[in-house]
């Protein structure tokens, strides 16, 4: 489009040039006729005057067109520059939002690190998910055995427990989160110290919850809003790590145990960085 506009602009200039040249020649002829006899001058005047008038009209038209094309070229250049500025601002704004998101994530990890300061921890970034869903049920991080990581190490993010390491390579590790269908965590209610099991269920992930089952609460003291943490009796999970809060509770059909739902404190749809606790449960107890 820009090339065609330039070509038309060049053609207009050439036409205007030749018309101007012709007008110049006619002016010179008219000036020369000042020294000729009057009848000849009259004849030439009759012929040249309409031609000159038409040429002036056409020349003015082409001059206007040329100004129009020049204005269009300037506007096109200005639009291109403005679009470039808009694109640059869009990129900068996107980067600022990403930086803000990362800063918030790092701030959460910093607070989490201080909350569980008795444990030795190492930070890691999520580099891939192991399924096609939107949820981080299993995923891979960028630290491994070279960084001292091992199977069964607990993993945290946000405000609490994410899951556990199930496989390790030299510079990577696989994490299975507590929302995974194969995940079971021995837990307890902080307010009553009653024990229970937190069972992963991917069908509940849209609600941001996991199942609470086998709760031993003979006096039905546990209520909605109570805090759920990892239990001391767990074989692999370190005690006292926050899992979430009771969002639903009820008595089972056997009238002996309770079950319900727990709202997790970790957003399992958005995990970028994690903290891996390097203390293993067995070694921590020994």
């Amino acid at each position: 489009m820009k090339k065609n506009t330039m070509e038309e602009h060049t053609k207009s200039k050439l036409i205007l040039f030749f018309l101007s040249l012709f007008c110049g020649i006619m002016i010179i002829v008219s000036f020369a006729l000042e020294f000729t006899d009057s009848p000849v001058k009259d004849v030439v005047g009759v012929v040249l005057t309409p031609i000159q008038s038409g040429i002036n009209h056409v020349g003015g038209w082409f001059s206007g067109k040329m100004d129009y094309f020049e204005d269009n070229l300037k506007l096109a250049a200005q639009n291109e520059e403005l679009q470039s500025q808009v694109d640059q601002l869009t990129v900068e704004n996107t980067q600022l939002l990403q930086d803000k998101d990362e800063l918030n994530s790092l701030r959460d990890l910093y607070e989490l690190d201080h909350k569980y300061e008795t444990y030795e921890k190492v930070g890691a970034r999520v580099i891939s998910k192991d399924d096609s869903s939107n949820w981080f049920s299993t995923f891979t991080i960028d630290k491994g055995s070279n960084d001292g990581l091992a199977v069964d190490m607990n993993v945290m993010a946000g405000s609490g427990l994410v899951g556990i390491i199930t496989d390790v390579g030299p510079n990577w590790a696989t994490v299975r989160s507590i929302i995974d269908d194969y995940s079971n965590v021995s837990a307890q209610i902080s307010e009553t110290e009653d024990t229970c099991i937190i069972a992963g269920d991917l069908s509940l992930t849209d609600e941001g919850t996991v199942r609470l089952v086998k709760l031993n609460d003979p006096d039905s003291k546990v209520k909605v809003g109570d805090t759920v943490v990892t239990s001391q009796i767990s074989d692999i999970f370190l005690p006292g790590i926050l899992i979430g809060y009771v969002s639903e509770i009820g008595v089972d059909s056997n009238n002996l145990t309770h079950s319900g739902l727990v709202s997790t404190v970790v957003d399992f749809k958005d995990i970028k960085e994690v903290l891996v606790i390097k203390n293993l449960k067995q070694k921590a107890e020994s």
Side-chain angles (χ1 to χ4, degrees):
M1 179 67 181
K2 189 173 180 181
K3 183 178 179 182
N4 291 336
T5 304
M6 291 296 294
E7 290 177 353
E8 292 177 2
H9 181 59
T10 303
K11 289 178 181 178
S12 299
K13 282 189 171 182
L14 288 174
I15 294 172
L16 184 60
F17 170 75
F18 286 116
L19 288 174
S20 300
L21 179 62
F22 183 72
C23 287
I25 294 172
M26 292 298 100
I27 291 171
I28 293 171
V29 171
S30 298
F31 180 76
L33 289 175
E34 291 291 333
F35 302 97
T36 63
D37 294 334
S38 180
V40 177
K41 288 168 55 178
D42 292 340
V43 172
V44 174
V46 170
V47 174
L48 291 181
T49 299
I51 295 175
Q52 288 177 338
S53 178
I55 289 173
N56 289 337
H57 178 74
V58 173
W61 182 83
F62 275 108
S63 178
K65 285 294 182 182
M66 185 175 67
D67 292 339
Y68 173 78
F69 285 129
E70 287 180 349
D71 291 341
N72 278 350
L73 288 174
K74 290 179 181 178
L75 286 174
Q78 291 174 356
N79 286 338
E80 185 176 349
E81 183 178 355
L82 287 174
Q83 185 60 51
S84 177
Q85 292 176 1
V86 169
D87 292 341
Q88 180 63 30
L89 289 173
T90 300
V91 171
E92 291 176 358
N93 185 58
T94 301
Q95 185 61 49
L96 285 173
L97 291 175
Q98 291 176 347
D99 291 344
K100 180 182 178 181
D101 189 39
E102 183 175 0
L103 179 61
N104 290 335
S105 177
L106 292 174
R107 185 182 291 114
D108 290 340
L109 290 183
Y110 176 78
E111 294 176 357
L112 199 61
D113 183 32
H114 279 264
K115 184 177 180 180
Y116 301 96
E117 59 184 1
T118 57
Y119 296 134
E120 181 185 359
K121 297 173 286 293
V122 61
R125 290 180 179 273
V126 177
I127 55 177
S128 69
K129 289 192 300 179
D130 296 344
D131 56 52
S132 57
S133 70
N134 293 327
W135 303 96
F136 287 77
S137 58
T138 57
F139 56 89
T140 303
I141 58 177
D142 65 351
K143 298 290 177 64
S145 57
N146 291 342
D147 305 284
L149 301 192
V151 171
D152 287 344
M153 285 184 174
N154 295 193
V155 180
M156 301 186 298
S159 300
L161 183 67
V162 169
I164 200 163
I165 291 179
T166 58
D167 195 12
V168 176
N171 57 358
W172 59 268
T174 300
V175 178
R176 183 179 66 214
S177 69
I178 61 173
I179 65 171
D180 188 77
D181 289 333
Y182 296 98
S183 177
N184 286 284
V185 182
S186 294
Q188 69 178 33
I189 310 300
S190 293
E191 288 78 4
T192 65
E193 296 187 353
D194 292 312
T195 59
C196 60
I197 299 294
I198 299 300
D201 187 342
L202 289 176
S203 67
L204 298 174
T205 49
D206 285 336
E207 302 173 16
T209 60
V210 288
R211 292 194 182 280
L212 182 154
V213 297
K214 298 182 179 180
L215 172 65
N216 295 309
D217 182 22
D219 299 324
S220 298
K221 293 183 295 183
V222 176
K223 61 183 182 300
V224 171
D226 282 352
T227 307
V228 182
V229 299
T230 51
S231 169
Q232 179 66 44
I233 64 174
S234 173
D235 293 331
I236 55 179
F237 287 98
L238 295 162
I241 302 176
L242 180 61
I243 296 173
Y245 301 94
V246 176
S247 59
E248 184 179 312
I249 192 70
V251 181
D252 293 332
S253 58
N254 59 16
N255 292 321
L256 297 175
T257 58
H258 292 68
S259 61
L261 299 175
V262 172
S263 297
T264 61
V265 293
V266 174
D267 181 4
F268 288 95
K269 197 174 183 179
D270 184 27
I271 302 177
K272 294 183 178 66
E273 293 88 17
V274 299
L275 281 179
V276 180
I277 300 177
K278 299 178 73 173
N279 306 75
L280 287 168
K281 178 66 182 291
Q282 297 84 351
K283 292 184 178 179
E285 292 179 341
S286 60

